[in-house]
Structures are given as structure tokens and as C-alpha cells.
Amino acid sequence: MRSPLDAPEGDWWSEEVNRRETIWLGITGGWAAVLFGWMAGWTQIGDQNPTGPTERISPERYQEKVTAYKEEAEDAEDGLIPPGEDVFIGAMRYNWDGLPAVLEAGKTYKFHIGSYDVQHGFSIRKGDTLSKQMSLQVLPEYEWVVEMEFDEPGTYHVVCNEFCGVGHRTMHGAFTVRE
Amino acid sequence: MLGLFDNDYDADGFRTCSVTGLNIHRSAENMVKLYGLTSVVALLVGGIFAFFVAMTRWEAIGLVSPNDFYKFTSIHAWNLLIFWMIFMEIAILYVGGPFVLGRKLALENVAKVAYGVMVAGALLVNYAIWTTEQPNQAPLLTSYVPLPSSADFYLGVVVFLVGALVAALPFLATIWKEKREKPDATLPLIAFGAFICSIVAAEAIVGGLITFVPTYFWRIGVIEHLDPAWYRQMYWIVGHGTQQINLLAMITVWYFMTHVVGGAVVASEKVSRTAFILYLFFINMGAAHHLMSDPGVSSAWRVWNTSYAAYGAVIASMIHAFAIPAGLEVGRRARNEGGGTFGWLWSAPWKDPGFSSTILSIIMFGFLGGITGVMMGQMQLNMTWHNTLATPGHFHATVVLGTTLAFMGLLYYVIRLLFGKDWVAKPLATIQPYLYGGAMGLVCLMMMYLGVLYGVPRRHPSVMDIPGTAFDFSAAKPLFAIFGVSAILAIVGGGLFLALALGALFLGDDYEGEAAPTGAGPIVAADGGGGTGETPAETDSAGDDAEAAETAEDDDDGGLAAHAFSMRGTFLLTLVFFVTFVVMYALNWYLLSQLWTIGG
Ligand code: HEM
Ligand SMILES: [Cu+2]
Ligand SMILES: [Cu+2]
């Protein structure tokens, strides 16, 4: 019986470990394997993964790309209708360039996200169900392409949730998903 | 200074603590007091700002303007997460080394210089944040490049980090001297924990310097460009690294306090030390979980690093989660402090704020902080937590419910045993940990719900009214009300701690230590005599621990084997924990699976 304040003497390494403590060690190890396995498995079989190709790009060049995309897109009343499967979004203080947009339900889009200035947070939620929400980090100098497909029509709101300056709280955008 | 530094020492500068039996040298004791008092000042400053921050987020009050909110939150974060914790942790190193080993503090003057440097850095950081002017922005905790903060801010951080690194040297030198004198002796568990803590701290601080020195040069124009992804990866070495210091210091304090106040023993040296070693190797990778929703790193990198951390650090934490209550259970059973499954718990000194703080810290850190940390650390789940209010919800559960509460518990005993003052207003002292812990627990839960279920962003002074759009988060108003009221109670609880601490220091009676201050009697279960080396039977069925103890003998001269005592109470508690863990895990994945399709 030892105090944690005393140096243990003798061969403490070989001392027996209580049976229940041993069982707990087993549970712990097994659980860690589950944590890893599930996460790794979800990248294969799951529908929600924060993954997609990333490219280095200068903020100026990215802004040009977004501008070119906007010119090509159709300007509908509720926002831009992307010409193809690509949707470009440029984060800038304190605005989402490329939003609002109008998307079709059930179609897979490639969201390109990048920033013209500082870091931002690309945070989407469904307007009438706030618990349906997710966030991705946006970095200047990086263009990240993440696929998304929306099944439920409605308005999706985008807020910035990375502090980007005093106007951070006003940085809002939206897109509509139609049948 | 006001009689705070005047204990009686023998000719060699030592005194024996009547409660812990530790041999304490003046050099170490004075530094522990100095660093400890300074940390309390930072707690006061940060706590005052907590009030403004929380009352702004509760928009029914809406206390400060958006501009000030970011500034106030930055001051809150730096004083609490960095200054309160790190000054305290240096004090803990000096307890874990010199106190536990019964030595002088080596290089005492270095400790003094380091103290001065740390204070200078902390003052500069506060000044720089307070005087932030356009185009500079408040740094918050992270000062993500390329958003500029004032150059003095980065400089202050560098100065502080250098001071903290130097402050670890006297501790390391003390350990080195001990090792040179007794090359074959094993360090006591507490000293070992402190040692691992210091190594992890050194890694974190060096990482911090590698981050903040170039960032300073970038800000003053010497370096033209910094890659924002590089900054994030480097920053989190210190940003998360300091959390690892907090974790290791907290766990060391848990072992210390359950022993001193509750009579805990070491359930298994091998298991507890292995868990500390696991931290040493694996916990750094925990920093990767800050980059789970980042474009700059590949998904293979992210999965590998979180799983690696899950294997190493999560296992280590779960081991301590068993080992510490088990040590308490065995220690109290051996002292005949309650039989049955939970008798050892019921009989514990729940009115003692040192004890209750420690136990609340263990429970709430595990259930609220630990579980949620693993959730957020799963690459996909991270998308639903990232940068929402749930993130501060998680880390307030770790650094407030866990570390701050544990440090408060320790400070109650620092007041008694080092300053020699007894607590004042004892009934208030008894309720303080419950008030603070309970209210803060609610604050954390509300922030988590607001974040995950309502997607309320962090670092926002107003979400009920977003200029330029009709969209807002007013559905979340009721939860914000609970959040706001609990925050007020928590701040009252924190203020009560400060009042009690200062009250004891300046108005308290002299504390006459008793060997067992709170009812943990001597180990009474008899030594069975000549060791036969047999394994004693488990004791559940008998249920009579005193009897069991008589047969529990060990080969070593300790006479009694800890492993032979029943740990069934602890086992049941950890099973409850495990089931909660699994349920939370399933719920979080369910919520994620309800989202639209993301990622290829
Ligand atoms: C009564 C106690 C406390 C209350 C009510 C409180 C409340 C809050 C709130 C409301 C925020 C802002 C969340 C946001 O909008 O993003 C915050 C931020 C923060 N708090 Fe606390 N807090 C308390 C104590 C502490 C303590 C003891 C620590 C550290 C040990 C701490 C560390 C932090 C940090 C690091 C941040 C994040 C700042 C950032 O986003 O960079 N807090 N706190
Ligand atoms: Cu932004
Ligand atoms: Cu922002």
C-alpha cells in the first residue's frame, strides 16, 4: 500500500494489477479501436466527410476565378444559378462573394471555398432546422473543393464563424435549394 | 510582505509539514507562494472579464459593444487559460519536485528571474490587447494569421513563453540532482507526473516560440509572408500544448489531493506510470484535432493523427479515470472508512472544499470535458462542433470544470499548509465548489447545446440580430437565458473562492494541522505478517474489507497489497462513465448522419 508521495521500493513493476483494473484496461483498448475504426470506416461508407482536394492559389487569382464564375452564372431573382456542377464561394470581410445562389435538390455540386483576405468560417445551416448545420474552415491561399448534395429544398444560411475582424458578426449569406 | 512569507524553518531552511509529512525547504516554499499568488491575480482579472463576456453573449443583457466584446474575450482568454494556469503550473512543478523529494529548489535565483520575465510578458500582452487599434484586431486566443494583432501582443507572448521555459529549469535541475544522488531510486508518483508534465510543457513552449517569433517578425514587417495553414498547425502545438500541461498538472493534483485529503493510495504504480508515459508519446498529436475541418491537411493525415491520439492519450486518460478513484477506494477501505460498494465514498469528507473540488473536477472533467473532446476529435463529427459555441462549451468543461476546479481545491490546501492560515466562513467554503462547479457545469452544457443543436457560432457578440439579414438565432433564446443565469451563478462562485482565499490569507486564524485533517485515518487493516507471496482472494463476496485486508499481503515491505482490495465501487462508476460515453458517441453520429451529403 503506497502513498504517491513516496518512492516505491522493490520490484513494483511486477506487482499484480487488480482484476477489475485489468478489465478496464481491456475495455479502454477496445473502445479506442472502435473510435478509430468507425472514423476510418465512415470515410469509406459514410455520407458526411470533410474531404476534398485542396490547391494552393493566390487570393487575387482565386478572386478572378470567382468573378469569372459569376459572369458565367445565370442571374436569377433569388441568386446565381451555377452554370455547371461547380459553385464558387469567395469569403471576404464581411461578405460571401458568389452568394446568394440557387441550387437544385438531388444534384451533386462541387463547392469551391477560399478567401480573399483573412481566415473565415464557412458555416451552413438549414433555415428551418437549425440543428442541421456544419462548418468548414476557410483559409486564404487555399482553394478547397468539397462536394455537397442537398436533398431537402429550403433556404440554407451561411454565417462566418471564424473571427475575421470587427464586422465578423455581420458576415452572412444564403442559398436556396429548389426541387 | 504582510507576514505571508514567514514560516519557521530549521537551521538548514527546512520544516516538516504536519499534515503531509513533507520536508519543505524555504526556497521552494517561497516560490510556490509567489507563483501561486500571482496566478490568483490572473484568475481575478480573467474572472472579471468573464462577467462582461458572458453578459454580452446573453443578449437579453447585451453588456458591451461588439468591438469591445472581442477585446474583452481576448483578455478573458489570455488571463485565464494562459496566465492563471501557467503561473499555477510552475507552482505545481515546484511542489511535485522539491516538496515531494524533500529538497531545496535548485537555481532559486533562476526561478526569480523567470518570474519577473513571465510577469513582464503577461503585462505586455494585457496592455497590447487593451490598446488594440485599427487596423489591428483583438487576438482572441488564436491570433490567426493573416489577421493582424498589435506587434506588442506577439512580443508579449514571446517574452512570457521564454519566462515559462526558464521557470521550468529549477524544477528540472532539482530532479537531476535527486537522480544524481540516488541513481537507483524511483521517483514518487507525484514527482514522476510533474516530471512528465514539465517535458510536455517544454515541448509546447518551444513550439510556441517557433510560432510566435516568426509571427512577431511578420507583424513588424521583417518577414513578408506567413502561410495561414502553417500558422494554424504550428500555433496549435502551443495552443493545444498548454492544454496538455493543464491536463497533466491537473491529474498530478488529483493524485496528490485524493491522497492528502481523502487518504488515497496508489492502486498500481505500473498502470499509473504507464499512463503518464503514454501521454508523453501520444498527447502531442491531440493538437491535430484543431485541424479536422481544415483544407490545409490531407484527410489521411487527419485520420491518422486523431486515431493515434485516440489510441494513446484517450487510453491514458481513461486509465487515470480508473486509477485515481480506485486509489481512493482502496486507501479508504484499508483505513476502514466504509464498506459495501460505495461506503468509502459516502464516508468521504464532502464538506472539505479541497476534497469536493477535486472529486467534482474528476467527475465533470470526465463526463463533460473528456467525452466531448473525443467527439470533436473525430474528423467527421468535428464539422458539427467546429467553431460553434459547443467548442467553448467543451473546453470550459476541461479547463474550468477540470483544471480550474482542481487548482482551486489545491489552493485551499496551499492556504492551510503553506500559508498556515485556516479557512474563514467555513460553511461558505463548503458550498463554494458545488456552487461554482454546478453552475459552470450548466454553462458548459448550454454552450454545447447551443452550438451543436442550434449551430450558434462562437466569438459572436450578437446572434439574435445579424445586421443586414432577417435570419437570426432567436430560437435559441431560452437556452441562452439558462446560460446567462448559470454564468452569473458561476461567476459568483468564482468570486466567492477569491473572497475566501483572500479572507483566509489576511483574516484567517493560524492553522494547526492535524495529521488527518478530514477523517482519513491511518491504515488500520492489519499487516498479515510474513509474506507468503500468494495472491489473496478478491473480496467482493466477503464484502468485509477489514477481514480481507488481513489476508492481503504483499511481497514488498509495504505489507499490504493494494490490488487485493476490492475496486468494485470504482468499477461500477467507470462503467457508468463508459455507457455515457457510448451513448453520447452514438447520438453525435446520428445527428451527423441527418445532414446532407458532404465530401466525396
Ligand atoms: C465563471 C466562469 C466563466 C464564464 C462564465 C466564461 C464564459 C465564457 C464565454 C461566454 C466565452 C465566449 C464564447 C464565445 O463567444 O466564443 C468565453 C471564452 C473563453 N473562455 Fe471563458 N468563462 C469562464 C471561465 C473561464 C476560465 C476559468 C477559463 C480558463 C481557464 C476560460 C477560458 C476561456 C477561453 C480560452 C475562451 C475563448 C476565447 C476565444 O474564443 O479565443 N474561461 N468564456
Ligand atoms: Cu468572416
Ligand atoms: Cu468572421
Side-chain angles (χ1 to χ4, degrees), chain B residues 245-265:
Chain B
I245 316 176
N246 294 341
L247 177 80
L248 275 140
M250 173 181 74
I251 288 175
T252 306
V253 169
W254 286 349
Y255 277 106
F256 182 76
M257 289 297 288
T258 50
H259 169 70
V260 171
V261 189
V265 296

Side-chain angles (χ1 to χ4, degrees), chain B residues 15-75:
Chain B
R15 68 179 184 89
T16 302
C17 171
S18 62
V19 172
T20 58
L22 292 173
N23 246 339
I24 299 175
H25 191 262
R26 184 197 294 123
S27 56
E29 181 155 29
N30 283 343
M31 283 303 121
V32 170
K33 288 177 175 178
L34 183 64
Y35 279 89
L37 282 177
T38 310
S39 75
V40 172
V41 174
L43 178 64
L44 171 67
V45 175
I48 291 172
F49 281 85
F51 178 74
F52 289 94
V53 171
M55 289 307 111
T56 306
R57 288 239 57 167
W58 186 19
E59 290 170 52
I61 308 288
L63 200 52
V64 307
S65 72
N67 210 349
D68 286 343
F69 171 80
Y70 304 121
K71 217 185 245 186
F72 281 39
T73 306
S74 308
I75 293 190

Side-chain angles (χ1 to χ4, degrees), chain A residues 1 20 36 125 137 142 147, chain B residues 227 307 386 455 540 560 599:
Chain A
M1 194 89 37
R20 288 202 176 84
F36 168 68
R125 73 265 301 108
Q137 191 77 20
Y142 290 83
E147 286 183 9
Chain B
D227 179 345
S307 60
H386 185 64
D540 329 16
L560 291 166

Side-chain angles (χ1 to χ4, degrees), chain A residues 1-10 12-21 23-25 27-29 31-43 46-52 54 56 93-94 117-121 123-127 130-144 146-152 156-157 159-172, chain B residues 66-67 70 100 134 137-138 140 144-147 186-190 225 227-229 232 256 259 265-266 268-271 273-274 293-295 299 302 306-307 311 315 318-319 322-323 330 374 378-380 383-384 386-388 451-455 457 459-462 466-467 469 471 473 523 535 538 540 556-557 560 563 565-568 571 574 578 581-582 585 589 592-600:
Chain A
M1 194 89 37
R2 289 201 194 85
S3 149
L5 296 174
D6 296 334
E9 285 167 13
W12 50 268
W13 182 260
S14 314
E15 271 166 29
E16 203 166 323
V17 177
N18 180 283
R19 184 170 56 91
R20 288 202 176 84
E21 188 157 22
I23 298 174
W24 180 250
L25 294 179
I27 293 178
T28 305
W31 182 233
V34 170
L35 293 175
F36 168 68
W38 187 269
M39 175 170 59
W42 194 267
T43 61
D47 279 340
Q48 293 82 16
N49 287 291
T51 51
T54 303
R56 299 291 310 254
R93 297 155 94 183
Y94 300 103
D117 41 42
V118 297
Q119 305 194 16
H120 299 273
S123 176
I124 313 177
R125 73 265 301 108
K126 189 156 182 290
L130 292 182
S131 65
K132 294 196 175 182
Q133 53 88 22
M134 49 81 70
S135 307
L136 297 171
Q137 191 77 20
V138 188
L139 303 187
E141 301 174 38
Y142 290 83
E143 174 181 351
W144 195 7
V146 181
E147 286 183 9
M148 295 204 207
E149 179 190 324
F150 299 86
D151 291 326
E152 297 177 27
Y156 290 75
H157 292 273
V159 301
C160 174
N161 64 1
E162 182 55 78
F163 177 63
C164 52
V166 285
H168 162 59
R169 76 194 175 106
T170 67
M171 189 163 160
H172 167 271
Chain B
N67 210 349
Y70 304 121
V100 171
Q134 293 279 357
Q137 302 285 346
L140 293 161
Y144 285 138
V145 161
L147 195 66
T186 310
L187 288 177
L189 184 61
I190 304 274
H225 172 256
D227 179 345
R232 286 175 69 81
F256 182 76
H259 169 70
V265 296
V266 183
S268 163
E269 297 276 357
K270 174 165 74 178
V271 172
R273 285 167 197 263
T274 306
S293 300
D294 264 37
S299 58
R302 286 177 276 163
T306 29
S307 60
Y311 278 125
I315 289 178
M318 287 176 74
I319 293 176
F322 187 98
V330 169
V374 171
Q378 297 258 296
M379 181 175 77
Q380 298 89 344
M383 284 190 289
T384 57
H386 185 64
N387 277 349
T388 69
V452 170
L453 298 180
Y454 292 86
R459 297 175 165 174
H460 266 253
S462 71
I466 303 176
T469 168
F471 173 73
F473 290 88
I523 294 187
T535 311
E538 272 261 329
D540 329 16
D556 74 70
D557 56 348
L560 291 166
H563 67 82
F565 280 83
S566 173
M567 300 183 183
R568 63 183 182 279
F571 191 61
T574 50
F578 182 63
F581 205 154
V582 174
Y585 189 68
W589 278 98
L592 178 77
S593 71
Q594 297 305 298
L595 289 185
W596 53 90
T597 307
I598 303 156

Side-chain angles (χ1 to χ4, degrees), chain B residues 354-571:
Chain B
F355 182 81
S356 59
S357 301
T358 308
I359 301 297
L360 286 174
S361 162
I362 294 173
I363 294 174
M364 300 216 277
F365 178 87
F367 278 87
L368 291 174
I371 291 180
T372 56
V374 171
M375 303 300 133
M376 310 173 66
Q378 297 258 296
M379 181 175 77
Q380 298 89 344
L381 291 183
N382 188 268
M383 284 190 289
T384 57
W385 287 72
H386 185 64
N387 277 349
T388 69
L389 206 49
T391 298
H394 151 72
F395 70 70
H396 281 78
T398 56
V399 296
V400 188
L401 294 175
T403 318
T404 299
L405 210 48
F407 288 2
M408 283 178 173
L410 180 67
L411 281 171
Y412 276 112
Y413 273 82
V414 167
I415 290 167
R416 271 191 165 174
L417 304 183
L418 303 194
F419 289 102
K421 295 291 184 188
D422 205 357
W423 309 325
V424 290
K426 284 189 187 159
L428 285 178
T430 292
I431 62 166
Q432 188 273 330
Y434 299 98
L435 175 64
Y436 186 68
M440 202 61 215
L442 267 177
V443 170
C444 294
L445 272 176
M446 289 308 124
M447 289 207 258
M448 290 176 202
Y449 289 155
L450 284 164
V452 170
L453 298 180
Y454 292 86
V456 171
R458 71 186 287 197
R459 297 175 165 174
H460 266 253
S462 71
V463 294
M464 296 303 161
D465 161 39
I466 303 176
T469 168
F471 173 73
D472 62 36
F473 290 88
S474 46
K477 254 184 198 154
L479 287 190
F480 264 113
I482 307 177
F483 159 84
V485 173
S486 323
I488 293 177
L489 290 176
I491 290 161
V492 169
L496 185 58
F497 171 79
L498 291 166
L500 290 169
L502 295 178
L505 286 182
F506 296 111
L507 307 170
D509 296 333
D510 287 344
Y511 177 66
E512 308 295 342
E514 320 135 39
T518 51
I523 294 187
V524 290
D527 183 344
T532 57
E534 294 171 16
T535 311
E538 272 261 329
T539 59
D540 329 16
S541 43
D544 181 350
D545 297 302
E547 199 182 296
E550 276 178 40
T551 59
E553 28 188 273
D554 204 8
D555 293 333
D556 74 70
D557 56 348
L560 291 166
H563 67 82
F565 280 83
S566 173
M567 300 183 183
R568 63 183 182 279
T570 300
F571 191 61

